[in-house]
Amino acid sequence: MTPLAEFITALHGVASGEGEVITDPVRLRTYECDGLTYHRATPGVVVLAESAAQIAAIVKLCNRYGVPFVARGSGTGLSGGALPRTDGVLIVTSKMRRVLEIDLPNRRAVVEPGVTNLAITEAVREQGYYYAPDPSSQQICSIGGNVAENSGGAHCLKYGFTVNHVEACEIVTPDGDIVILDRMDPGYDLLGAFVGSEGTLGIATKVTVRLSRTPEAVTTVLAAFESIEQGGRAVSAIIGAGIVPAAIEMMDALSIEAAEAAVACAYPEGAGAVLIVELDGPAEAVERQFAQLTEICAQAFELRVAADPAERAAIWKGRKSAFAAVGRISPAYIVQDGVVPRTSLPAVLASIDRLSAEYGIKVANVFHAGDGNLHPLVLFDDAEPGAGERAETVSGKILDLCVENGGSITGEHGVGVDKSRYMPRMFSDDDLDTMQLVRCAFDPGNLSNPGKVFPTPRLCGEVPGVRKGVHPLVESGKAEQF
Ligand SMILES: Cc1cc2nc3c(=O)[nH]c(=O)nc-3n(C[C@H](O)[C@H](O)[C@H](O)COP(=O)(O)OP(=O)(O)OC[C@H]3O[C@@H](n4cnc5c(N)ncnc54)[C@H](O)[C@@H]3O)c2cc1C
């Protein structure tokens, strides 16, 4: 019997509920990829977990049989983070969707990891609260996935990312213990290390999130410009004027065309770019900022202000559906995610245009303009020989541009399996080895989502990549190799 087969036999002892353990090859294929469908692997076995105690028992079994495990929430990740292992178990949290506690006086809610992002807001909306980070996938993505990816969203410009809204996490460590990481704990910020660790430091089984007060006033504005340069200049001017909108999103002509085809969002015709700017806060401040905004956006050929929540939703509809909408104008596409300093936006967008022309590959741009987080959608026809490779080249060169301009290879979608090869473009070998020491401290057996984030496994007894021999940190006595 293989270790996996022995493991599956033992697994039935800890997860025996109806439909909990999936081994049927057809059902397993449901879980073979996340939102990045390019990378696929059929999991060895899937468990639809029901409790922290059960996950702890499964992880202990993984340790006994040397079987790797991967956590999965809703599978909307865009970097292949939840890509399963053929020799491992995929632990799915989608059945763990209870809101366990709402504590309004302390502005906190405690939820299970499978609860969707939007469900948290829905649970407290009537009382005048909401959960601020809002990925465009918020109707379906899980809070466990948000924690693992440190997810962002349109409103993170003003309110910060997931890391700023998580107070504590109960986790199952890679050796199967249940521990609590709390923001208030003295010593190292282990909760900070866990948020954004992409499932490599254990599995979140309970999350305490911070709730925010619904702002007194919200004004949503759609500004249409003839060109993306004009839109870009308006973004710099808004921030330069000291206004911090809740959101500033930009879409170029191609992404507007896609959104129009998919959801008929009725954005102004002929726009080279639209900006969605949302101002929120005390009514008086919003009114003052709106007056400033109107002056700054003088070059816009149309300025549309949402008169009520329905019009606000209509303005957001085009933006929130933009990724999926691109499917209407292209048979295949890559969703890229990179960051540049805001001031580099015009130059980087111009370079993307040049790449697009050079390789004959169209690129639609949708981005969180306020924080310089680009989402170029690289379009190609997968039936055309060589088109996929050219799209992949353009996609990689866009990340080079981001790094060259002082930015990053990911803003919010994570590294996962897809971008691990780009990590050396930002980090030296020593940087990467040092990061792996953190991973090894949590997961010496390298069982928790192995093969993700890092380009070459090198420490914790992993098979050496480029480096041969003893790592310098180990040699100098600063670190231990397990
Ligand atoms: C249309 C669309 C729009 C999107 N828009 C945004 C956006 O605006 N902003 C943004 O940041 N992202 C966005 N995303 C990406 C994605 O939705 C987020 O990364 C989200 O947080 C993933 O959540 P999930 O539950 O689907 O996680 P999964 O895809 O299931 O997993 C993602 C990662 O988290 C790990 N993981 C999952 N659950 C746990 C757990 N309980 N404990 C530890 N690790 C765990 C997995 O191992 C994996 O590494 C978008 C995706 C799509 C498809």
Side-chain angles (χ1 to χ4, degrees):
M1 249 193 181
T2 61
L4 181 65
E6 286 180 38
F7 168 81
I8 293 172
T9 307
L11 191 59
H12 285 284
V14 294
S16 51
E18 178 95 357
E20 262 181 15
V21 177
I22 300 172
T23 52
D24 170 47
V26 176
R27 286 187 69 201
L28 286 177
R29 291 202 58 189
T30 307
Y31 301 94
E32 67 184 6
C33 64
D34 60 9
L36 183 72
T37 55
Y38 180 70
H39 298 275
R40 289 172 192 265
T42 307
V45 58
V46 171
V47 183
L48 306 182
E50 294 206 316
S51 68
Q54 191 189 53
I55 292 179
I58 295 166
V59 170
K60 280 198 191 302
L61 280 184
C62 289
N63 278 268
R64 188 176 320 149
Y65 293 95
V67 166
F69 61 90
V70 177
R72 175 177 164 122
S74 307
T76 66
L78 290 172
S79 55
L83 181 76
R85 299 270 305 204
T86 51
D87 59 348
V89 54
L90 188 71
I91 301 175
V92 182
T93 63
S94 56
K95 280 172 108 178
M96 296 172 67
R97 9 176 104 212
R98 286 178 303 158
V99 174
L100 299 169
E101 191 190 333
I102 292 173
D103 173 8
L104 292 181
N106 289 307
R107 296 194 176 187
R108 287 169 155 221
V110 183
V111 300
E112 288 189 321
V115 168
T116 61
N117 172 297
L118 191 60
I120 302 175
T121 291
E122 280 168 351
V124 293
R125 198 197 306 272
E126 285 198 356
Q127 289 92 340
Y129 291 87
Y130 74 115
Y131 176 63
D134 61 337
S136 303
S137 51
Q138 67 182 153
Q139 291 183 349
I140 42 168
C141 65
S142 74
I143 190 71
N146 291 180
V147 168
E149 299 288 0
N150 187 21
S151 295
H155 293 82
C156 291
L157 169 65
K158 181 170 181 181
Y159 294 103
F161 280 58
T162 302
V163 70
N164 305 110
H165 298 269
V166 173
E167 305 268 336
C169 270
E170 176 192 88
I171 69 162
V172 170
T173 64
D175 50 6
D177 291 333
I178 299 178
V179 302
I180 292 170
L181 306 177
D182 197 303
R183 175 88 50 222
M184 302 299 280
D185 286 343
Y188 292 126
D189 180 8
L190 296 182
L191 179 63
F194 187 83
V195 177
S197 61
E198 305 193 25
T200 61
L201 303 184
I203 301 183
T205 47
K206 214 184 266 178
V207 185
T208 304
V209 296
R210 181 180 301 169
L211 300 172
S212 302
R213 206 73 173 107
T214 310
E216 185 191 355
V218 178
T219 295
T220 308
V221 181
L222 182 80
F225 294 89
E226 270 159 18
S227 71
I228 201 135
E229 291 74 27
Q230 286 180 351
R233 277 199 297 274
V235 173
S236 299
I238 292 166
I239 302 289
I243 305 172
V244 183
I248 311 185
E249 301 286 301
M250 198 189 302
M251 293 168 68
D252 71 2
L254 201 51
S255 58
I256 297 169
E257 181 191 327
E260 207 59 64
V263 296
C265 51
Y267 287 170
E269 252 178 63
V274 293
L275 275 188
I276 299 172
V277 185
E278 195 153 272
L279 304 167
D280 72 2
E284 211 178 300
V286 169
E287 216 172 289
R288 197 176 51 246
Q289 289 179 349
F290 176 66
Q292 279 177 285
L293 181 72
T294 314
E295 270 177 40
I296 292 169
C297 290
Q299 272 197 314
F301 69 81
E302 185 174 334
L303 210 60
R304 197 181 286 176
V305 185
D308 54 37
E311 284 190 18
R312 181 185 174 206
I315 288 179
W316 276 111
K317 197 170 169 191
R319 167 61 187 94
K320 295 250 172 184
S321 59
F323 289 0
V326 165
R328 294 293 182 113
I329 59 165
S330 177
Y333 61 96
I334 299 168
V335 179
Q336 191 49 283
D337 165 46
V339 182
V340 295
R342 244 185 329 259
T343 46
S344 307
L345 273 174
V348 170
L349 290 170
S351 302
I352 293 177
D353 259 359
R354 281 194 290 277
L355 281 174
S356 169
E358 185 184 340
Y359 287 87
I361 291 284
K362 284 186 180 174
V363 180
N365 286 294
V366 179
F367 42 100
H368 304 308
D371 45 22
N373 186 186
L374 301 169
H375 288 314
L377 304 162
V378 183
L379 318 185
F380 64 100
D381 181 351
D382 47 357
E384 183 192 324
E389 287 74 14
R390 278 185 288 131
E392 194 53 53
T393 305
V394 169
S395 190
K397 283 185 180 288
I398 290 174
L399 292 185
D400 284 338
L401 281 174
C402 292
V403 176
E404 282 158 19
N405 280 274
S408 166
I409 59 167
T410 171
E412 55 183 16
H413 295 169
V415 178
V417 73
D418 190 48
K419 288 191 173 170
S420 57
R421 69 205 141 117
Y422 296 120
M423 287 287 268
R425 299 189 189 180
M426 284 192 73
F427 300 107
S428 69
D429 282 355
D430 286 348
D431 292 337
L432 292 169
D433 284 349
T434 306
M435 286 187 221
Q436 291 235 39
L437 291 173
V438 177
R439 179 185 182 145
C440 293
F442 278 78
D443 182 21
N446 191 36
L447 293 178
S448 191
N449 211 4
K452 310 290 166 62
V453 183
F454 297 103
T456 47
R458 280 198 261 211
L459 296 172
C460 323
E462 291 175 303
V463 181
V466 181
R467 185 185 294 286
K468 298 272 185 284
V470 184
H471 185 271
L473 286 176
V474 176
E475 203 165 34
S476 64
K478 287 187 186 140
E480 249 180 290
Q481 184 155 3
F482 296 94

